[in-house]
Amino acid sequence: MASVTTSSSKAPAHRYSHTAIVLHWVLALAILGLFGVGLYMTSLPFSPTRLKLYNWHKWAGITILTLSTLRLLWRVTHRPPALPNAIADAMPTWQHWAHHGTHYALYALFFLVPLIGWAYSSAAGFPIVVFGVLPLPDFVPVDKALAEMIKPLHELSAFALIGLAGLHIAAALKHQWIDKDGLLKRMLPGRH
């Protein structure tokens, strides 16, 4: 990955840029909200409300896919701040591996979950029309058997994403409340 600058938004070198912070929190809230809607809508009986929520869920998934692309492009062109030396030195090797592995896995799932959902919707014969006006091409051909194979993959990948997000949150809170090392401030909005 090529890195151009630390930031174009004049954030201190130890903090993420304002753009990175906004993308982080918007994507985080969107993923958590969409996961909740996904759980809720699948429990509803067939109804106009369920159909509306499924369409909304698909639109939001495409929005998350778009935000994920923007976030990845930003990350590739703007090096994130290095862990402060005191924190990096205090972390055992396994925590460094977990730190990097969790981030890579999260990025992969940012793309896999919506792409698998798009494939499922296409295979099931329900095209995605973003906001009811922008029809997207089918990701795969209509094939009910394929749809049945893909459906559990979308669910499993969504649960994996939420599980990793929970691990990421737990690690951030550990740094904030147990280690008290100020690491969380690097991603909080505002000036610190």
Coordinates of all heavy atoms in Angstrom, one line a residue, residues 96-169:
H96 N -0.1 -7.2 19.2 CA 0.2 -6.5 17.9 C -0.5 -7.3 16.8 O -1.0 -6.7 15.9 CB 1.7 -6.4 17.7 CG 2.4 -5.3 18.5 ND1 2.4 -4.0 18.1 CD2 3.0 -5.4 19.7 CE1 3.0 -3.3 19.0 NE2 3.4 -4.1 20.0
W97 N -0.3 -8.6 16.8 CA -0.9 -9.5 15.8 C -2.5 -9.3 15.8 O -3.1 -9.2 14.8 CB -0.6 -11.0 16.0 CG 0.8 -11.3 15.6 CD1 2.0 -11.3 16.4 CD2 1.2 -11.6 14.3 NE1 3.0 -11.7 15.6 CE2 2.6 -11.9 14.3 CE3 0.5 -11.8 13.1 CZ2 3.3 -12.2 13.2 CZ3 1.3 -12.1 11.9 CH2 2.6 -12.3 12.0
A98 N -3.0 -9.3 17.0 CA -4.5 -9.2 17.1 C -4.9 -7.8 16.6 O -5.9 -7.7 15.9 CB -4.9 -9.3 18.6
H99 N -4.2 -6.8 16.9 CA -4.5 -5.4 16.5 C -4.5 -5.3 14.9 O -5.5 -4.9 14.3 CB -3.4 -4.5 17.0 CG -3.3 -3.1 16.4 ND1 -4.2 -2.1 16.7 CD2 -2.5 -2.6 15.5 CE1 -4.0 -1.0 16.1 NE2 -2.9 -1.3 15.3
H100 N -3.5 -5.8 14.3 CA -3.4 -5.8 12.8 C -4.4 -6.8 12.2 O -5.1 -6.4 11.2 CB -2.0 -6.0 12.3 CG -1.0 -4.9 12.7 ND1 -1.1 -3.7 12.2 CD2 0.0 -4.9 13.6 CE1 -0.2 -2.9 12.7 NE2 0.5 -3.7 13.5
G101 N -4.5 -8.0 12.7 CA -5.4 -9.0 12.2 C -6.8 -8.6 12.2 O -7.6 -8.8 11.3
T102 N -7.2 -8.0 13.3 CA -8.6 -7.5 13.5 C -8.9 -6.4 12.5 O -10.0 -6.4 11.8 CB -8.9 -7.0 14.9 OG1 -8.6 -8.1 15.8 CG2 -10.3 -6.5 15.1
H103 N -8.0 -5.5 12.3 CA -8.2 -4.4 11.3 C -8.3 -5.0 9.9 O -9.2 -4.6 9.2 CB -7.1 -3.3 11.4 CG -7.4 -2.4 12.5 ND1 -6.8 -2.6 13.8 CD2 -8.1 -1.3 12.7 CE1 -7.2 -1.6 14.6 NE2 -8.0 -0.8 13.9
Y104 N -7.5 -5.9 9.5 CA -7.5 -6.4 8.2 C -8.8 -7.2 8.0 O -9.5 -7.1 6.9 CB -6.3 -7.3 7.9 CG -5.0 -6.6 7.7 CD1 -3.9 -6.9 8.4 CD2 -4.9 -5.5 6.8 CE1 -2.7 -6.2 8.2 CE2 -3.8 -4.8 6.6 CZ -2.6 -5.2 7.3 OH -1.5 -4.5 7.1
A105 N -9.2 -8.0 9.0 CA -10.4 -8.8 8.9 C -11.7 -7.9 8.8 O -12.6 -8.1 8.0 CB -10.6 -9.7 10.1
L106 N -11.7 -6.8 9.6 CA -12.8 -5.8 9.5 C -12.9 -5.2 8.1 O -14.0 -5.2 7.5 CB -12.6 -4.7 10.6 CG -13.0 -5.1 12.0 CD1 -12.5 -4.0 13.0 CD2 -14.5 -5.3 12.1
Y107 N -11.8 -4.8 7.6 CA -11.8 -4.2 6.2 C -12.3 -5.3 5.2 O -13.1 -4.9 4.3 CB -10.4 -3.7 5.8 CG -10.2 -2.3 6.2 CD1 -9.6 -1.9 7.4 CD2 -10.6 -1.3 5.3 CE1 -9.3 -0.6 7.7 CE2 -10.3 0.1 5.6 CZ -9.7 0.4 6.8 OH -9.5 1.7 7.2
A108 N -11.9 -6.5 5.3 CA -12.4 -7.5 4.4 C -13.9 -7.7 4.5 O -14.6 -7.8 3.5 CB -11.7 -8.9 4.7
L109 N -14.4 -7.7 5.8 CA -15.8 -7.9 6.0 C -16.6 -6.7 5.6 O -17.8 -6.8 5.2 CB -16.1 -8.3 7.4 CG -15.6 -9.8 7.8 CD1 -15.6 -10.0 9.3 CD2 -16.5 -10.8 7.1
F110 N -16.0 -5.5 5.7 CA -16.8 -4.3 5.2 C -17.2 -4.5 3.7 O -18.2 -4.0 3.3 CB -15.9 -3.1 5.2 CG -15.5 -2.6 6.6 CD1 -14.4 -1.7 6.7 CD2 -16.2 -2.9 7.7 CE1 -14.1 -1.2 8.0 CE2 -15.9 -2.4 8.9 CZ -14.8 -1.6 9.1
F111 N -16.4 -5.3 3.0 CA -16.7 -5.5 1.6 C -17.5 -6.8 1.4 O -18.5 -6.9 0.6 CB -15.5 -5.5 0.7 CG -14.8 -4.2 0.6 CD1 -13.9 -3.8 1.5 CD2 -15.2 -3.3 -0.4 CE1 -13.3 -2.5 1.4 CE2 -14.7 -2.0 -0.5 CZ -13.7 -1.6 0.4
L112 N -17.1 -7.9 2.1 CA -17.7 -9.2 1.9 C -19.2 -9.2 2.3 O -20.0 -9.8 1.5 CB -16.9 -10.2 2.7 CG -15.6 -10.7 2.1 CD1 -14.9 -11.6 3.0 CD2 -15.8 -11.3 0.7
V113 N -19.5 -8.6 3.4 CA -20.9 -8.7 3.9 C -21.9 -8.1 2.8 O -22.8 -8.7 2.4 CB -21.1 -8.1 5.3 CG1 -22.6 -8.0 5.7 CG2 -20.3 -8.8 6.3
P114 N -21.7 -6.8 2.4 CA -22.6 -6.3 1.4 C -22.5 -7.0 0.0 O -23.5 -7.1 -0.6 CB -22.3 -4.8 1.3 CG -20.9 -4.6 1.9 CD -20.7 -5.8 2.9
L115 N -21.3 -7.4 -0.4 CA -21.2 -8.1 -1.7 C -21.9 -9.4 -1.6 O -22.6 -9.8 -2.6 CB -19.8 -8.3 -2.1 CG -19.1 -7.0 -2.5 CD1 -17.6 -7.3 -2.7 CD2 -19.7 -6.4 -3.8
I116 N -21.8 -10.2 -0.5 CA -22.6 -11.4 -0.4 C -24.1 -11.2 -0.4 O -24.9 -11.9 -0.9 CB -22.1 -12.2 0.8 CG1 -20.6 -12.7 0.6 CG2 -23.0 -13.4 1.1 CD1 -20.0 -13.2 1.9
G117 N -24.5 -10.1 0.3 CA -25.9 -9.7 0.4 C -26.4 -9.4 -1.0 O -27.5 -9.8 -1.4
W118 N -25.6 -8.7 -1.8 CA -26.0 -8.3 -3.2 C -26.1 -9.6 -4.0 O -27.1 -9.8 -4.8 CB -24.9 -7.4 -3.7 CG -25.2 -6.8 -5.1 CD1 -26.2 -7.0 -5.9 CD2 -24.4 -5.8 -5.7 NE1 -26.1 -6.3 -7.1 CE2 -25.0 -5.5 -7.0 CE3 -23.2 -5.1 -5.3 CZ2 -24.4 -4.6 -7.8 CZ3 -22.7 -4.2 -6.2 CH2 -23.3 -3.9 -7.5
A119 N -25.2 -10.5 -3.8 CA -25.2 -11.8 -4.6 C -26.5 -12.6 -4.2 O -27.2 -13.1 -5.1 CB -24.0 -12.6 -4.3
Y120 N -26.8 -12.6 -2.9 CA -28.0 -13.3 -2.5 C -29.2 -12.7 -3.1 O -30.1 -13.4 -3.6 CB -28.1 -13.3 -0.9 CG -29.4 -13.8 -0.4 CD1 -29.8 -15.1 -0.6 CD2 -30.2 -12.9 0.3 CE1 -31.1 -15.5 -0.2 CE2 -31.5 -13.3 0.8 CZ -31.9 -14.6 0.5 OH -33.1 -15.0 1.0
S121 N -29.3 -11.4 -3.0 CA -30.5 -10.7 -3.5 C -30.6 -10.9 -5.0 O -31.8 -11.2 -5.5 CB -30.4 -9.2 -3.3 OG -31.6 -8.5 -3.6
S122 N -29.5 -10.9 -5.8 CA -29.6 -11.2 -7.2 C -30.0 -12.6 -7.5 O -30.8 -12.9 -8.3 CB -28.2 -10.9 -7.8 OG -27.8 -9.5 -7.7
A123 N -29.4 -13.5 -6.8 CA -29.7 -15.0 -7.0 C -31.1 -15.3 -6.7 O -31.8 -16.1 -7.3 CB -28.7 -15.8 -6.2
A124 N -31.7 -14.6 -5.7 CA -33.1 -14.8 -5.3 C -34.1 -14.2 -6.2 O -35.3 -14.4 -6.1 CB -33.3 -14.3 -3.9
G125 N -33.6 -13.3 -7.2 CA -34.4 -12.7 -8.1 C -35.0 -11.4 -7.7 O -36.0 -10.9 -8.2
F126 N -34.4 -10.8 -6.7 CA -34.9 -9.5 -6.1 C -33.8 -8.4 -6.4 O -32.9 -8.2 -5.5 CB -35.2 -9.6 -4.6 CG -36.3 -10.6 -4.3 CD1 -35.9 -11.8 -3.7 CD2 -37.6 -10.3 -4.7 CE1 -36.9 -12.7 -3.4 CE2 -38.6 -11.3 -4.4 CZ -38.2 -12.4 -3.8
P127 N -33.8 -7.8 -7.5 CA -32.8 -6.8 -7.8 C -32.8 -5.7 -6.8 O -33.8 -5.4 -6.2 CB -33.1 -6.3 -9.2 CG -34.5 -6.8 -9.5 CD -34.9 -7.9 -8.5
I128 N -31.6 -5.0 -6.7 CA -31.5 -3.9 -5.8 C -31.7 -2.6 -6.7 O -31.0 -2.4 -7.7 CB -30.1 -3.9 -5.2 CG1 -29.9 -5.1 -4.3 CG2 -29.9 -2.6 -4.4 CD1 -28.5 -5.3 -3.8
V129 N -32.6 -1.8 -6.2 CA -32.9 -0.5 -6.8 C -32.6 0.5 -5.7 O -33.5 0.7 -4.8 CB -34.3 -0.4 -7.3 CG1 -34.6 0.9 -8.0 CG2 -34.6 -1.6 -8.3
V130 N -31.5 1.1 -5.7 CA -31.0 2.0 -4.6 C -32.0 3.2 -4.5 O -32.2 3.9 -5.5 CB -29.6 2.4 -4.8 CG1 -29.1 3.4 -3.7 CG2 -28.7 1.2 -4.9
F131 N -32.5 3.4 -3.4 CA -33.4 4.5 -3.1 C -34.6 4.5 -4.0 O -35.3 5.5 -4.2 CB -32.7 5.9 -3.2 CG -31.5 6.0 -2.2 CD1 -30.3 6.2 -2.8 CD2 -31.7 5.8 -0.9 CE1 -29.2 6.3 -1.9 CE2 -30.6 5.9 0.0 CZ -29.3 6.1 -0.6
G132 N -34.9 3.3 -4.6 CA -36.1 3.2 -5.5 C -35.9 3.8 -6.8 O -36.8 3.8 -7.6
V133 N -34.7 4.3 -7.2 CA -34.5 5.0 -8.4 C -33.3 4.5 -9.2 O -33.2 4.7 -10.4 CB -34.4 6.5 -8.3 CG1 -35.7 7.1 -7.8 CG2 -33.2 6.9 -7.4
L134 N -32.3 3.9 -8.6 CA -31.1 3.5 -9.2 C -30.9 2.0 -9.3 O -30.5 1.4 -8.3 CB -29.9 4.1 -8.5 CG -28.5 3.8 -9.1 CD1 -28.3 4.3 -10.5 CD2 -27.4 4.4 -8.2
P135 N -31.3 1.4 -10.4 CA -31.2 -0.1 -10.4 C -29.8 -0.5 -10.6 O -29.1 0.0 -11.4 CB -32.1 -0.5 -11.7 CG -32.1 0.7 -12.5 CD -31.9 1.9 -11.6
L136 N -29.4 -1.5 -9.8 CA -28.0 -2.0 -9.9 C -28.1 -3.3 -10.7 O -29.1 -4.1 -10.7 CB -27.5 -2.3 -8.5 CG -27.3 -1.2 -7.6 CD1 -26.7 -1.6 -6.3 CD2 -26.4 -0.1 -8.2
P137 N -27.0 -3.6 -11.4 CA -27.0 -4.9 -12.2 C -27.0 -6.1 -11.2 O -26.5 -6.0 -10.1 CB -25.7 -4.8 -13.0 CG -24.8 -3.9 -12.2 CD -25.8 -2.9 -11.6
D138 N -27.5 -7.2 -11.7 CA -27.5 -8.4 -10.9 C -26.0 -8.8 -10.7 O -25.2 -8.8 -11.7 CB -28.2 -9.5 -11.5 CG -29.7 -9.4 -11.3 OD1 -30.1 -8.7 -10.4 OD2 -30.5 -9.9 -12.2
F139 N -25.6 -9.2 -9.5 CA -24.3 -9.5 -9.2 C -24.0 -11.0 -9.7 O -22.9 -11.3 -10.0 CB -24.1 -9.4 -7.7 CG -22.7 -9.3 -7.2 CD1 -21.8 -8.3 -7.7 CD2 -22.1 -10.3 -6.4 CE1 -20.5 -8.3 -7.2 CE2 -20.8 -10.2 -5.9 CZ -20.0 -9.2 -6.4
V140 N -25.0 -11.8 -9.6 CA -25.0 -13.2 -10.1 C -26.3 -13.4 -10.8 O -27.3 -12.7 -10.6 CB -24.8 -14.2 -9.0 CG1 -23.4 -14.0 -8.3 CG2 -25.9 -14.2 -8.0
P141 N -26.4 -14.5 -11.6 CA -27.7 -14.7 -12.3 C -28.7 -15.3 -11.3 O -28.4 -15.8 -10.2 CB -27.4 -15.8 -13.3 CG -25.9 -16.1 -13.2 CD -25.3 -15.3 -12.1
V142 N -30.0 -15.1 -11.7 CA -31.1 -15.6 -10.8 C -30.9 -17.1 -10.8 O -30.9 -17.8 -11.8 CB -32.5 -15.2 -11.4 CG1 -33.6 -15.9 -10.6 CG2 -32.6 -13.7 -11.4
D143 N -30.9 -17.7 -9.5 CA -30.7 -19.1 -9.3 C -31.1 -19.4 -7.9 O -30.4 -19.1 -6.9 CB -29.3 -19.5 -9.6 CG -29.0 -21.0 -9.4 OD1 -29.8 -21.7 -8.7 OD2 -28.1 -21.5 -10.0
K144 N -32.3 -19.9 -7.7 CA -32.9 -20.1 -6.3 C -32.0 -21.0 -5.5 O -31.8 -20.8 -4.3 CB -34.3 -20.7 -6.4 CG -35.3 -19.7 -7.1 CD -35.5 -18.4 -6.4 CE -36.6 -17.6 -7.2 NZ -36.7 -16.3 -6.6
A145 N -31.4 -22.1 -6.1 CA -30.6 -23.0 -5.4 C -29.3 -22.2 -4.9 O -28.9 -22.4 -3.8 CB -30.2 -24.2 -6.2
L146 N -28.7 -21.4 -5.8 CA -27.6 -20.6 -5.4 C -27.9 -19.6 -4.3 O -27.2 -19.4 -3.3 CB -27.0 -19.8 -6.6 CG -25.8 -18.9 -6.4 CD1 -24.6 -19.7 -5.9 CD2 -25.5 -18.2 -7.7
A147 N -29.1 -19.0 -4.4 CA -29.6 -18.1 -3.3 C -29.6 -18.8 -2.0 O -29.2 -18.2 -0.9 CB -31.0 -17.5 -3.7
E148 N -30.1 -20.0 -1.9 CA -30.2 -20.8 -0.7 C -28.8 -21.1 -0.1 O -28.6 -21.2 1.1 CB -31.0 -22.1 -0.9 CG -32.5 -21.8 -1.0 CD -33.1 -21.0 0.1 OE1 -32.9 -21.3 1.3 OE2 -33.8 -19.9 -0.2
M149 N -27.8 -21.3 -1.0 CA -26.5 -21.5 -0.6 C -25.8 -20.2 -0.1 O -25.0 -20.2 0.9 CB -25.6 -22.1 -1.7 CG -25.9 -23.5 -2.1 SD -25.0 -24.1 -3.6 CE -23.4 -23.4 -3.3
I150 N -26.2 -19.1 -0.7 CA -25.5 -17.8 -0.3 C -26.1 -17.2 1.0 O -25.4 -16.6 1.8 CB -25.7 -16.8 -1.5 CG1 -24.9 -17.3 -2.7 CG2 -25.2 -15.4 -1.1 CD1 -25.1 -16.4 -3.9
K151 N -27.4 -17.4 1.2 CA -28.1 -16.8 2.3 C -27.4 -17.0 3.7 O -27.1 -16.0 4.4 CB -29.5 -17.3 2.4 CG -30.3 -16.6 3.5 CD -31.8 -17.1 3.5 CE -32.5 -16.4 4.6 NZ -33.9 -16.8 4.7
P152 N -27.0 -18.3 4.0 CA -26.3 -18.4 5.3 C -24.9 -17.7 5.3 O -24.5 -17.3 6.4 CB -26.2 -19.9 5.5 CG -26.5 -20.5 4.2 CD -27.3 -19.5 3.4
L153 N -24.3 -17.6 4.2 CA -23.0 -16.9 4.1 C -23.1 -15.4 4.5 O -22.3 -14.9 5.2 CB -22.3 -17.1 2.7 CG -22.0 -18.5 2.3 CD1 -21.4 -18.5 0.9 CD2 -20.9 -19.1 3.3
H154 N -24.2 -14.8 4.0 CA -24.5 -13.4 4.4 C -24.7 -13.3 5.9 O -24.1 -12.4 6.5 CB -25.7 -12.9 3.6 CG -26.0 -11.4 3.8 ND1 -25.0 -10.4 3.6 CD2 -27.1 -10.8 4.3 CE1 -25.6 -9.3 3.9 NE2 -26.8 -9.5 4.3
E155 N -25.5 -14.2 6.4 CA -25.8 -14.1 7.9 C -24.5 -14.4 8.7 O -24.2 -13.6 9.6 CB -26.8 -15.2 8.2 CG -28.2 -14.9 7.6 CD -29.2 -16.0 7.8 OE1 -28.8 -17.1 8.4 OE2 -30.3 -15.9 7.3
L156 N -23.7 -15.4 8.3 CA -22.5 -15.7 9.0 C -21.5 -14.6 8.9 O -20.8 -14.2 9.9 CB -21.9 -17.0 8.5 CG -22.6 -18.3 8.9 CD1 -22.0 -19.5 8.1 CD2 -22.5 -18.6 10.4
S157 N -21.3 -14.0 7.7 CA -20.4 -12.9 7.6 C -20.8 -11.7 8.4 O -20.0 -11.0 8.9 CB -20.1 -12.6 6.1 OG -21.3 -12.1 5.5
A158 N -22.1 -11.4 8.4 CA -22.6 -10.3 9.2 C -22.3 -10.5 10.7 O -21.9 -9.6 11.4 CB -24.1 -10.1 9.0
F159 N -22.6 -11.7 11.2 CA -22.3 -12.0 12.6 C -20.8 -11.9 12.9 O -20.4 -11.5 13.9 CB -22.8 -13.4 13.0 CG -24.3 -13.3 13.4 CD1 -25.3 -13.7 12.5 CD2 -24.7 -12.9 14.7 CE1 -26.6 -13.7 12.9 CE2 -26.0 -12.8 15.0 CZ -27.0 -13.2 14.2
A160 N -20.0 -12.4 11.9 CA -18.5 -12.3 12.1 C -18.1 -10.8 12.2 O -17.3 -10.4 13.0 CB -17.8 -13.0 10.9
L161 N -18.7 -10.0 11.3 CA -18.4 -8.6 11.3 C -18.7 -7.9 12.7 O -18.0 -7.2 13.3 CB -19.1 -7.8 10.2 CG -19.0 -6.3 10.1 CD1 -17.5 -5.9 10.1 CD2 -19.7 -5.8 8.9
I162 N -19.9 -8.3 13.2 CA -20.3 -7.7 14.5 C -19.5 -8.3 15.6 O -19.1 -7.5 16.5 CB -21.9 -8.0 14.7 CG1 -22.7 -7.2 13.8 CG2 -22.2 -7.8 16.2 CD1 -22.5 -5.7 13.9
G163 N -19.1 -9.5 15.5 CA -18.2 -10.1 16.5 C -16.9 -9.4 16.6 O -16.3 -9.1 17.6
L164 N -16.3 -9.2 15.4 CA -15.0 -8.5 15.3 C -15.1 -7.0 15.8 O -14.2 -6.5 16.4 CB -14.4 -8.5 13.9 CG -13.7 -9.8 13.5 CD1 -13.3 -9.8 12.1 CD2 -12.5 -10.0 14.4
A165 N -16.3 -6.4 15.4 CA -16.5 -5.0 15.9 C -16.6 -5.0 17.4 O -16.0 -4.1 18.0 CB -17.8 -4.5 15.2
G166 N -17.2 -6.0 18.0 CA -17.3 -6.1 19.4 C -15.9 -6.3 20.1 O -15.6 -5.6 21.1
L167 N -15.1 -7.1 19.4 CA -13.7 -7.3 19.9 C -12.9 -6.0 19.8 O -12.2 -5.6 20.7 CB -13.0 -8.4 19.1 CG -11.6 -8.8 19.4 CD1 -11.6 -9.3 20.9 CD2 -11.1 -9.8 18.4
H168 N -13.1 -5.2 18.7 CA -12.4 -3.9 18.5 C -12.9 -2.9 19.6 O -12.1 -2.2 20.1 CB -12.8 -3.5 17.1 CG -12.3 -2.1 16.7 ND1 -10.9 -1.9 16.4 CD2 -12.9 -0.9 16.5 CE1 -10.7 -0.7 16.1 NE2 -11.9 0.0 16.1
I169 N -14.2 -2.9 19.8 CA -14.7 -2.0 20.9 C -14.1 -2.4 22.2 O -13.7 -1.5 23.0 CB -16.3 -2.0 20.9 CG1 -16.8 -1.4 19.6 CG2 -16.8 -1.3 22.1 CD1 -18.3 -1.7 19.3

